[in-house]
Amino acid sequence: MTVTECFELASYIVTVFGLPLAIGTFIYEQRKERENEEEEVYLLLSDAYHEFLKLVLANPDLQLRTQSANFDLTPEQEERRQVIFDILISLFERAYLTAFEDQMTTRQARRWHSWDDYMREWCRRADFRRLLPRLLQGEDEDFARYIRRLEQEELQAIHAESKKLTAEG
């Protein structure tokens, strides 16, 4: 076997084994990088929600962590609540635009469900629902449809719970 034939055989081996291995490695690395980016986005959004909750805790007079809405607020309190809800809607929209997809992997769906739970929790508040049309002005249309659907589902759940309590009591 000549040197030329040895190099030709080596090039065939590289082509048959090395090239598919390189492509497979590249695809694997790209997938891991995408997963790491998604995890980073999730953590940044999660940190932003925790910062939002600190803002809520810094305003206890607005009673934003109670189950019932407080409609007996001063104009200054109303304005602060409006700003806090504006911040919340902005955060929810950012989460929707960066984390929601129609077809999600199991990992993506698990991450998204925590945001869905947060949105549902706030949609159960009458004061939030009352301000929602104004809060959604100018927001992404798909996001607005999504949160309005959650609002309707939670409103139906509240009515069902109320009927159940009335029937029991």
Coordinates of all heavy atoms in Angstrom, one line a residue, residues 36-122:
N36 N -29.2 25.7 28.3 CA -28.6 26.6 29.3 C -29.2 28.1 29.2 O -29.4 28.7 30.2 CB -27.1 26.6 29.1 CG -26.4 25.4 29.6 OD1 -27.0 24.6 30.4 ND2 -25.3 25.1 29.1
E37 N -29.4 28.5 28.0 CA -30.0 29.8 27.8 C -31.4 29.9 28.3 O -31.8 30.9 28.9 CB -29.9 30.2 26.3 CG -28.6 30.5 25.7 CD -28.5 30.7 24.2 OE1 -29.6 30.6 23.6 OE2 -27.4 30.9 23.7
E38 N -32.2 28.9 28.1 CA -33.5 28.8 28.6 C -33.5 28.8 30.1 O -34.4 29.5 30.7 CB -34.3 27.6 28.1 CG -34.6 27.7 26.6 CD -35.2 26.4 26.1 OE1 -35.3 25.4 26.8 OE2 -35.6 26.4 24.9
E39 N -32.6 28.1 30.7 CA -32.5 28.1 32.2 C -32.1 29.4 32.7 O -32.7 29.9 33.7 CB -31.5 27.0 32.6 CG -31.3 26.9 34.1 CD -32.5 26.2 34.8 OE1 -33.3 25.5 34.1 OE2 -32.6 26.5 36.0
E40 N -31.2 30.1 32.0 CA -30.8 31.4 32.4 C -32.0 32.4 32.4 O -32.2 33.2 33.3 CB -29.6 31.9 31.6 CG -29.1 33.3 32.0 CD -27.9 33.7 31.2 OE1 -27.2 32.8 30.5 OE2 -27.6 34.9 31.3
V41 N -32.7 32.4 31.3 CA -33.9 33.2 31.1 C -34.9 33.0 32.3 O -35.4 33.9 32.9 CB -34.6 33.1 29.8 CG1 -35.9 33.7 29.7 CG2 -33.7 33.6 28.7
Y42 N -35.1 31.7 32.5 CA -36.1 31.3 33.6 C -35.6 31.9 35.0 O -36.4 32.4 35.7 CB -36.2 29.8 33.7 CG -37.1 29.3 34.8 CD1 -38.4 29.5 34.8 CD2 -36.5 28.8 36.0 CE1 -39.2 29.1 35.9 CE2 -37.3 28.4 37.1 CZ -38.6 28.6 37.0 OH -39.4 28.2 38.1
L43 N -34.3 31.7 35.2 CA -33.8 32.2 36.5 C -33.9 33.8 36.6 O -34.2 34.3 37.7 CB -32.3 31.8 36.7 CG -32.2 30.3 36.9 CD1 -30.7 29.9 37.0 CD2 -32.9 29.8 38.2
L44 N -33.6 34.4 35.5 CA -33.7 35.9 35.5 C -35.1 36.4 35.7 O -35.4 37.3 36.5 CB -33.2 36.5 34.2 CG -31.7 36.4 34.0 CD1 -31.3 36.8 32.5 CD2 -30.9 37.3 35.0
L45 N -36.1 35.7 35.1 CA -37.5 36.0 35.3 C -37.9 35.7 36.7 O -38.7 36.5 37.3 CB -38.4 35.2 34.3 CG -38.3 35.7 32.8 CD1 -39.0 34.7 31.9 CD2 -38.9 37.1 32.7
S46 N -37.5 34.6 37.2 CA -37.8 34.2 38.6 C -37.2 35.2 39.6 O -37.9 35.6 40.5 CB -37.2 32.8 38.9 OG -37.6 32.4 40.2
D47 N -36.0 35.7 39.4 CA -35.4 36.7 40.2 C -36.3 38.0 40.1 O -36.5 38.7 41.1 CB -34.0 37.0 39.8 CG -33.0 35.9 40.2 OD1 -33.4 35.0 41.0 OD2 -31.9 35.9 39.7
A48 N -36.7 38.4 38.9 CA -37.5 39.6 38.7 C -38.8 39.5 39.5 O -39.3 40.4 40.1 CB -37.8 39.8 37.2
Y49 N -39.4 38.3 39.5 CA -40.7 38.1 40.2 C -40.4 38.2 41.7 O -41.3 38.8 42.5 CB -41.4 36.7 39.9 CG -42.8 36.6 40.5 CD1 -43.8 37.4 39.9 CD2 -43.0 35.8 41.5 CE1 -45.1 37.3 40.4 CE2 -44.3 35.7 42.1 CZ -45.3 36.5 41.5 OH -46.6 36.4 42.0
H50 N -39.3 37.7 42.2 CA -39.0 37.8 43.6 C -38.8 39.3 44.0 O -39.2 39.7 45.1 CB -37.8 37.0 44.0 CG -38.1 35.5 44.0 ND1 -37.3 34.6 43.3 CD2 -39.1 34.8 44.5 CE1 -37.8 33.4 43.4 NE2 -38.9 33.5 44.2
E51 N -38.2 40.0 43.1 CA -38.0 41.5 43.3 C -39.4 42.2 43.4 O -39.6 43.1 44.2 CB -37.1 42.1 42.3 CG -35.7 41.7 42.4 CD -35.0 42.2 43.7 OE1 -35.3 43.3 44.2 OE2 -34.3 41.3 44.3
F52 N -40.3 41.7 42.5 CA -41.6 42.3 42.5 C -42.3 42.0 43.8 O -43.0 42.9 44.4 CB -42.5 41.7 41.3 CG -43.9 42.0 41.5 CD1 -44.4 43.2 41.1 CD2 -44.8 41.1 41.9 CE1 -45.7 43.6 41.2 CE2 -46.1 41.3 42.1 CZ -46.6 42.6 41.7
L53 N -42.1 40.8 44.3 CA -42.8 40.4 45.6 C -42.2 41.3 46.8 O -42.9 41.6 47.7 CB -42.6 38.9 45.9 CG -43.4 38.0 45.0 CD1 -43.1 36.6 45.4 CD2 -44.9 38.3 45.1
K54 N -40.9 41.7 46.7 CA -40.4 42.6 47.7 C -41.1 43.9 47.6 O -41.3 44.6 48.6 CB -38.9 42.7 47.4 CG -38.0 41.5 47.8 CD -36.6 41.7 47.5 CE -35.8 40.5 47.8 NZ -34.3 40.7 47.4
L55 N -41.4 44.4 46.4 CA -42.1 45.6 46.2 C -43.5 45.5 46.8 O -44.0 46.4 47.5 CB -42.2 45.9 44.7 CG -43.0 47.2 44.3 CD1 -42.4 48.4 44.9 CD2 -43.1 47.3 42.8
V56 N -44.1 44.4 46.7 CA -45.5 44.1 47.3 C -45.3 44.2 48.8 O -46.2 44.8 49.5 CB -46.0 42.8 46.8 CG1 -47.2 42.4 47.6 CG2 -46.4 42.9 45.3
L57 N -44.3 43.5 49.3 CA -44.1 43.5 50.8 C -43.8 44.9 51.3 O -44.1 45.2 52.5 CB -43.0 42.6 51.2 CG -43.4 41.1 51.0 CD1 -42.1 40.2 51.3 CD2 -44.5 40.7 52.0
A58 N -43.2 45.7 50.5 CA -42.8 47.1 50.9 C -44.1 48.0 50.9 O -44.0 49.2 51.4 CB -41.8 47.7 50.0
N59 N -45.2 47.5 50.4 CA -46.4 48.3 50.4 C -47.6 47.5 51.1 O -48.6 47.2 50.5 CB -46.8 48.6 49.0 CG -45.8 49.6 48.3 OD1 -46.0 50.8 48.5 ND2 -44.9 49.1 47.6
P60 N -47.4 47.2 52.4 CA -48.4 46.4 53.0 C -49.8 47.0 53.1 O -50.8 46.3 53.2 CB -47.8 46.1 54.4 CG -46.9 47.3 54.7 CD -46.4 47.6 53.3
D61 N -49.8 48.4 53.1 CA -51.1 49.0 53.2 C -52.0 48.8 52.0 O -53.2 49.0 52.1 CB -50.9 50.6 53.4 CG -50.1 51.2 52.2 OD1 -49.1 50.6 51.8 OD2 -50.5 52.3 51.8
L62 N -51.5 48.3 50.9 CA -52.3 48.0 49.7 C -52.9 46.6 49.8 O -53.8 46.2 49.0 CB -51.4 48.1 48.5 CG -50.8 49.4 48.2 CD1 -49.9 49.4 47.0 CD2 -51.8 50.5 48.2
Q63 N -52.5 45.8 50.8 CA -53.0 44.4 51.0 C -53.0 43.6 49.7 O -54.0 42.9 49.4 CB -54.4 44.5 51.6 CG -54.4 45.2 52.9 CD -55.8 45.4 53.5 OE1 -56.8 45.1 52.8 NE2 -55.9 45.9 54.7
L64 N -51.9 43.6 49.1 CA -51.8 42.8 47.8 C -51.6 41.3 47.9 O -51.7 40.6 47.0 CB -50.7 43.4 46.9 CG -51.0 44.9 46.5 CD1 -49.8 45.4 45.7 CD2 -52.2 45.0 45.6
R65 N -51.3 40.9 49.1 CA -51.1 39.4 49.3 C -52.2 38.8 50.0 O -52.2 37.6 50.3 CB -49.8 39.2 50.1 CG -48.5 39.5 49.3 CD -48.4 38.8 48.0 NE -48.3 37.4 48.1 CZ -48.5 36.6 47.1 NH1 -48.8 37.0 45.9 NH2 -48.5 35.3 47.3
T66 N -53.3 39.6 50.3 CA -54.5 39.0 50.9 C -55.3 38.4 49.7 O -55.2 38.8 48.6 CB -55.3 40.1 51.6 OG1 -55.7 41.1 50.7 CG2 -54.5 40.6 52.8
Q67 N -56.2 37.5 50.1 CA -57.1 36.9 49.1 C -58.2 37.9 48.6 O -58.5 37.8 47.4 CB -57.8 35.7 49.7 CG -56.9 34.5 49.9 CD -56.3 33.9 48.6 OE1 -56.8 34.2 47.6 NE2 -55.3 33.1 48.8
S68 N -58.6 38.8 49.4 CA -59.7 39.7 49.0 C -59.1 41.0 48.6 O -58.1 41.5 49.1 CB -60.7 39.9 50.1 OG -60.1 40.4 51.2
A69 N -59.7 41.7 47.6 CA -59.2 42.9 47.1 C -59.7 44.1 48.0 O -60.7 44.0 48.7 CB -59.8 43.2 45.7
N70 N -58.9 45.1 48.1 CA -59.2 46.3 48.9 C -59.6 47.4 48.0 O -58.7 47.9 47.2 CB -58.0 46.6 49.8 CG -58.2 47.8 50.7 OD1 -59.3 48.3 50.7 ND2 -57.2 48.2 51.5
F71 N -60.8 47.8 48.0 CA -61.3 48.9 47.2 C -61.4 50.2 47.9 O -61.8 51.2 47.4 CB -62.7 48.5 46.5 CG -62.6 47.4 45.5 CD1 -63.0 46.1 45.9 CD2 -62.0 47.6 44.3 CE1 -62.9 45.1 44.9 CE2 -61.9 46.6 43.3 CZ -62.4 45.4 43.7
D72 N -61.1 50.2 49.2 CA -61.2 51.4 50.1 C -59.8 52.0 50.2 O -59.2 52.0 51.3 CB -61.8 51.0 51.4 CG -62.2 52.2 52.2 OD1 -62.5 53.2 51.6 OD2 -62.2 52.1 53.5
L73 N -59.2 52.5 49.1 CA -57.9 53.0 49.1 C -57.9 54.5 48.9 O -58.8 55.0 48.2 CB -57.0 52.4 48.1 CG -56.8 50.9 48.2 CD1 -56.0 50.4 47.0 CD2 -56.1 50.5 49.4
T74 N -56.9 55.2 49.4 CA -56.8 56.7 49.1 C -56.3 56.8 47.6 O -55.8 55.8 47.1 CB -55.8 57.3 50.0 OG1 -54.5 56.8 49.7 CG2 -56.1 57.1 51.5
P75 N -56.4 58.0 47.1 CA -55.9 58.2 45.7 C -54.4 57.9 45.6 O -54.0 57.3 44.6 CB -56.2 59.7 45.4 CG -57.4 60.0 46.3 CD -57.2 59.2 47.6
E76 N -53.7 58.2 46.6 CA -52.2 57.9 46.5 C -52.0 56.4 46.5 O -51.2 55.8 45.8 CB -51.5 58.5 47.7 CG -50.0 58.4 47.8 CD -49.6 57.2 48.6 OE1 -50.3 56.7 49.5 OE2 -48.5 56.7 48.3
Q77 N -52.8 55.6 47.3 CA -52.7 54.2 47.4 C -53.1 53.6 46.1 O -52.5 52.6 45.6 CB -53.5 53.6 48.5 CG -52.9 53.9 49.9 CD -53.9 53.5 51.0 OE1 -55.1 53.7 50.9 NE2 -53.3 52.8 52.0
E78 N -54.2 54.1 45.5 CA -54.7 53.6 44.2 C -53.6 53.8 43.1 O -53.4 52.9 42.3 CB -55.9 54.5 43.8 CG -57.2 54.1 44.5 CD -57.9 52.9 43.8 OE1 -57.5 52.5 42.8 OE2 -58.8 52.4 44.5
E79 N -52.9 54.9 43.2 CA -51.9 55.1 42.2 C -50.7 54.1 42.4 O -50.2 53.6 41.4 CB -51.3 56.6 42.3 CG -50.3 56.9 41.2 CD -50.0 58.4 41.2 OE1 -50.6 59.2 41.8 OE2 -49.0 58.7 40.5
R80 N -50.3 53.9 43.6 CA -49.2 52.9 43.9 C -49.7 51.5 43.4 O -48.9 50.8 42.8 CB -48.9 52.9 45.4 CG -47.9 54.1 45.7 CD -47.3 53.9 47.1 NE -48.4 54.1 48.1 CZ -48.6 53.3 49.2 NH1 -47.9 52.2 49.4 NH2 -49.6 53.6 50.0
R81 N -50.9 51.2 43.7 CA -51.4 49.8 43.3 C -51.4 49.8 41.8 O -51.0 48.7 41.2 CB -52.8 49.6 43.8 CG -53.3 48.2 43.4 CD -54.6 47.9 44.0 NE -55.6 48.8 43.5 CZ -56.9 48.8 43.9 NH1 -57.3 48.0 44.9 NH2 -57.7 49.7 43.5
Q82 N -51.8 50.8 41.1 CA -51.8 50.8 39.6 C -50.4 50.6 39.1 O -50.2 49.8 38.2 CB -52.4 52.2 39.1 CG -52.3 52.3 37.6 CD -53.3 51.4 36.9 OE1 -54.5 51.3 37.4 NE2 -53.0 50.8 35.8
V83 N -49.4 51.3 39.7 CA -48.0 51.2 39.2 C -47.5 49.8 39.5 O -46.8 49.2 38.6 CB -47.1 52.2 39.9 CG1 -45.7 51.9 39.7 CG2 -47.5 53.6 39.4
I84 N -47.8 49.2 40.6 CA -47.4 47.8 41.0 C -48.0 46.9 40.0 O -47.4 45.9 39.5 CB -47.7 47.5 42.4 CG1 -46.8 48.3 43.3 CG2 -47.6 46.0 42.7 CD1 -47.1 48.2 44.8
F85 N -49.3 47.0 39.7 CA -49.9 46.1 38.7 C -49.4 46.3 37.3 O -49.2 45.4 36.5 CB -51.5 46.4 38.7 CG -52.2 45.8 39.8 CD1 -53.5 46.1 40.1 CD2 -51.6 44.8 40.7 CE1 -54.2 45.6 41.2 CE2 -52.3 44.3 41.8 CZ -53.6 44.7 42.0
D86 N -49.0 47.6 36.9 CA -48.3 47.8 35.7 C -47.0 47.0 35.6 O -46.6 46.4 34.6 CB -48.0 49.3 35.5 CG -49.2 50.1 35.0 OD1 -50.1 49.5 34.4 OD2 -49.2 51.3 35.3
I87 N -46.2 47.0 36.7 CA -45.0 46.3 36.8 C -45.2 44.8 36.6 O -44.5 44.1 35.9 CB -44.2 46.6 38.1 CG1 -43.7 48.1 38.1 CG2 -43.1 45.7 38.3 CD1 -43.3 48.6 39.4
L88 N -46.3 44.3 37.3 CA -46.6 42.9 37.3 C -47.0 42.5 35.8 O -46.5 41.5 35.4 CB -47.8 42.6 38.2 CG -48.2 41.2 38.3 CD1 -47.1 40.3 38.8 CD2 -49.5 41.1 39.2
I89 N -47.8 43.2 35.2 CA -48.2 42.9 33.8 C -47.0 42.9 32.9 O -46.9 42.0 32.0 CB -49.3 43.9 33.3 CG1 -50.7 43.5 33.9 CG2 -49.4 43.9 31.8 CD1 -51.2 42.1 33.4
S90 N -46.1 43.9 33.1 CA -44.9 43.9 32.2 C -44.1 42.6 32.5 O -43.6 42.1 31.5 CB -44.1 45.2 32.6 OG -42.9 45.2 31.9
L91 N -44.0 42.2 33.7 CA -43.2 41.0 34.0 C -43.9 39.8 33.4 O -43.3 38.9 32.8 CB -43.1 40.9 35.6 CG -42.3 39.7 36.1 CD1 -40.9 39.6 35.5 CD2 -42.3 39.7 37.6
F92 N -45.2 39.7 33.6 CA -46.0 38.6 33.0 C -45.8 38.5 31.5 O -45.6 37.5 30.9 CB -47.4 38.6 33.3 CG -47.7 38.2 34.8 CD1 -49.0 38.5 35.3 CD2 -46.8 37.5 35.5 CE1 -49.3 38.2 36.6 CE2 -47.1 37.1 36.8 CZ -48.4 37.4 37.4
E93 N -45.9 39.7 30.8 CA -45.7 39.7 29.4 C -44.3 39.3 29.0 O -44.1 38.5 28.0 CB -46.0 41.1 28.8 CG -45.9 41.2 27.3 CD -46.1 42.6 26.7 OE1 -45.6 43.5 27.4 OE2 -46.6 42.7 25.6
R94 N -43.3 39.7 29.7 CA -41.9 39.3 29.4 C -41.8 37.8 29.5 O -41.2 37.1 28.7 CB -41.0 40.0 30.3 CG -39.5 39.9 29.9 CD -38.5 40.7 30.7 NE -39.2 41.7 31.6 CZ -38.7 42.0 32.8 NH1 -37.6 41.4 33.3 NH2 -39.3 42.9 33.5
A95 N -42.4 37.3 30.6 CA -42.3 35.8 30.8 C -43.0 35.1 29.6 O -42.5 34.1 29.1 CB -43.0 35.4 32.1
Y96 N -44.2 35.6 29.2 CA -45.0 35.0 28.1 C -44.1 35.0 26.8 O -44.0 34.0 26.1 CB -46.3 35.7 28.0 CG -47.1 35.2 26.8 CD1 -48.0 34.1 27.0 CD2 -47.0 35.7 25.5 CE1 -48.7 33.6 26.0 CE2 -47.8 35.2 24.5 CZ -48.6 34.1 24.7 OH -49.3 33.6 23.7
L97 N -43.6 36.2 26.5 CA -42.8 36.3 25.3 C -41.6 35.5 25.2 O -41.1 35.1 24.2 CB -42.5 37.8 25.0 CG -43.8 38.7 24.7 CD1 -43.3 40.1 24.6 CD2 -44.5 38.2 23.5
T98 N -40.9 35.3 26.4 CA -39.7 34.5 26.4 C -39.8 33.1 26.8 O -38.9 32.3 26.4 CB -38.6 35.2 27.3 OG1 -39.2 35.2 28.6 CG2 -38.3 36.6 26.9
A99 N -40.9 32.7 27.4 CA -40.9 31.3 28.0 C -42.1 30.5 27.4 O -42.0 29.3 27.4 CB -41.0 31.3 29.5
F100 N -43.1 31.1 26.8 CA -44.3 30.4 26.4 C -44.1 30.0 24.9 O -43.7 30.8 24.1 CB -45.5 31.2 26.5 CG -46.8 30.5 26.0 CD1 -47.4 29.5 26.9 CD2 -47.3 30.7 24.8 CE1 -48.5 28.8 26.4 CE2 -48.4 30.0 24.3 CZ -49.0 29.1 25.2
E101 N -44.4 28.7 24.6 CA -44.5 28.3 23.2 C -45.7 27.3 23.1 O -46.1 26.7 24.1 CB -43.2 27.5 22.9 CG -41.9 28.3 22.8 CD -40.7 27.6 22.5 OE1 -40.8 26.5 21.8 OE2 -39.6 28.0 22.9
D102 N -46.2 27.2 21.9 CA -47.4 26.3 21.7 C -46.9 24.9 21.9 O -47.7 24.1 22.5 CB -48.0 26.5 20.3 CG -48.7 27.9 20.2 OD1 -49.3 28.3 21.2 OD2 -48.6 28.4 19.1
Q103 N -45.8 24.5 21.4 CA -45.3 23.2 21.6 C -44.0 23.2 22.5 O -43.0 23.7 22.1 CB -44.9 22.6 20.2 CG -46.0 22.5 19.3 CD -47.1 21.5 19.7 OE1 -46.8 20.4 20.3 NE2 -48.3 21.8 19.5
M104 N -44.2 22.8 23.8 CA -43.1 22.9 24.7 C -42.6 21.5 25.1 O -43.4 20.5 25.1 CB -43.6 23.6 26.0 CG -43.8 25.0 25.8 SD -44.2 25.9 27.4 CE -45.9 26.3 27.2
T105 N -41.3 21.4 25.4 CA -40.7 20.2 26.0 C -41.3 20.1 27.4 O -41.8 21.0 27.9 CB -39.2 20.3 26.0 OG1 -38.8 21.3 26.9 CG2 -38.6 20.5 24.6
T106 N -41.1 18.9 28.0 CA -41.5 18.7 29.4 C -40.9 19.7 30.3 O -41.5 20.3 31.2 CB -41.2 17.3 29.8 OG1 -41.8 16.4 28.9 CG2 -41.7 17.0 31.2
R107 N -39.6 20.0 30.1 CA -38.9 20.9 30.9 C -39.4 22.4 30.8 O -39.6 23.1 31.7 CB -37.4 20.9 30.6 CG -36.6 21.9 31.4 CD -35.1 21.9 31.1 NE -34.6 20.7 31.8 CZ -33.5 20.1 31.5 NH1 -32.7 20.6 30.5 NH2 -33.0 19.1 32.1
Q108 N -39.7 22.8 29.5 CA -40.2 24.1 29.3 C -41.6 24.2 29.9 O -41.9 25.2 30.5 CB -40.3 24.3 27.7 CG -39.0 24.5 27.1 CD -39.1 24.5 25.6 OE1 -39.9 23.8 25.0 NE2 -38.3 25.4 24.9
A109 N -42.4 23.2 29.7 CA -43.8 23.2 30.3 C -43.8 23.3 31.8 O -44.6 24.0 32.4 CB -44.5 21.9 29.9
R110 N -42.8 22.6 32.4 CA -42.7 22.7 33.9 C -42.4 24.1 34.3 O -43.0 24.7 35.3 CB -41.6 21.8 34.4 CG -42.1 20.4 34.9 CD -41.1 19.7 35.7 NE -39.8 19.9 35.4 CZ -38.9 19.1 34.8 NH1 -39.4 17.9 34.4 NH2 -37.7 19.4 34.5
R111 N -41.5 24.7 33.6 CA -41.1 26.1 33.9 C -42.3 27.1 33.7 O -42.6 28.0 34.5 CB -39.9 26.6 33.1 CG -38.6 25.9 33.5 CD -37.5 26.4 32.6 NE -36.3 25.7 32.8 CZ -35.5 25.3 31.9 NH1 -35.7 25.7 30.6 NH2 -34.4 24.7 32.2
W112 N -43.0 26.9 32.6 CA -44.1 27.7 32.2 C -45.2 27.6 33.2 O -45.9 28.6 33.6 CB -44.6 27.5 30.8 CG -45.8 28.3 30.6 CD1 -47.1 28.0 30.4 CD2 -45.8 29.8 30.5 NE1 -47.9 29.0 30.3 CE2 -47.1 30.2 30.3 CE3 -44.8 30.7 30.6 CZ2 -47.5 31.5 30.2 CZ3 -45.2 32.1 30.5 CH2 -46.5 32.4 30.3
H113 N -45.5 26.4 33.7 CA -46.6 26.2 34.7 C -46.5 27.1 35.9 O -47.5 27.5 36.5 CB -46.8 24.8 35.0 CG -47.4 24.0 33.9 ND1 -48.6 24.2 33.4 CD2 -46.9 22.9 33.2 CE1 -48.9 23.4 32.4 NE2 -47.9 22.6 32.3
S114 N -45.3 27.4 36.4 CA -45.1 28.3 37.5 C -45.6 29.7 37.2 O -46.3 30.3 38.0 CB -43.7 28.3 38.0 OG -42.8 28.8 37.1
W115 N -45.3 30.1 35.9 CA -45.8 31.5 35.5 C -47.3 31.4 35.3 O -48.0 32.4 35.7 CB -45.1 31.9 34.2 CG -43.7 32.3 34.5 CD1 -42.6 31.7 34.3 CD2 -43.4 33.6 35.2 NE1 -41.5 32.4 34.8 CE2 -42.0 33.5 35.4 CE3 -44.1 34.6 35.7 CZ2 -41.3 34.6 36.0 CZ3 -43.4 35.7 36.3 CH2 -42.0 35.6 36.4
D116 N -47.8 30.4 34.8 CA -49.3 30.2 34.6 C -50.0 30.3 36.0 O -51.0 31.0 36.2 CB -49.6 28.9 33.9 CG -51.1 28.8 33.6 OD1 -51.5 29.3 32.6 OD2 -51.8 28.1 34.4
D117 N -49.4 29.6 37.0 CA -49.9 29.7 38.4 C -49.9 31.1 38.9 O -50.8 31.5 39.6 CB -49.1 28.8 39.3 CG -49.4 27.3 39.0 OD1 -50.4 27.0 38.3 OD2 -48.6 26.5 39.4
Y118 N -48.8 31.8 38.7 CA -48.7 33.2 39.2 C -49.8 34.1 38.6 O -50.5 34.8 39.3 CB -47.3 33.9 38.9 CG -46.1 33.2 39.6 CD1 -44.9 33.2 38.9 CD2 -46.2 32.7 40.8 CE1 -43.8 32.7 39.5 CE2 -45.1 32.1 41.4 CZ -43.9 32.1 40.8 OH -42.8 31.6 41.3
M119 N -50.0 33.9 37.3 CA -51.0 34.7 36.6 C -52.4 34.4 37.1 O -53.2 35.3 37.3 CB -50.9 34.5 35.1 CG -49.6 35.1 34.4 SD -49.6 34.7 32.7 CE -47.9 34.9 32.3
R120 N -52.6 33.1 37.3 CA -54.0 32.7 37.8 C -54.2 33.3 39.2 O -55.3 33.7 39.5 CB -54.1 31.2 37.8 CG -54.2 30.6 36.4 CD -54.3 29.0 36.5 NE -54.3 28.5 35.1 CZ -55.4 28.4 34.4 NH1 -56.6 28.9 34.9 NH2 -55.4 27.9 33.2
E121 N -53.2 33.2 40.0 CA -53.3 33.7 41.4 C -53.7 35.2 41.3 O -54.6 35.6 42.1 CB -52.0 33.6 42.1 CG -51.9 34.2 43.5 CD -50.6 34.1 44.1 OE1 -49.7 33.4 43.7 OE2 -50.4 34.8 45.1
W122 N -53.1 36.0 40.5 CA -53.4 37.4 40.4 C -54.8 37.6 39.8 O -55.5 38.6 40.1 CB -52.3 38.2 39.7 CG -51.1 38.3 40.6 CD1 -50.0 37.6 40.7 CD2 -51.0 39.3 41.7 NE1 -49.2 38.0 41.7 CE2 -49.7 39.1 42.3 CE3 -51.7 40.4 42.2 CZ2 -49.2 39.8 43.4 CZ3 -51.2 41.1 43.2 CH2 -50.0 40.8 43.8

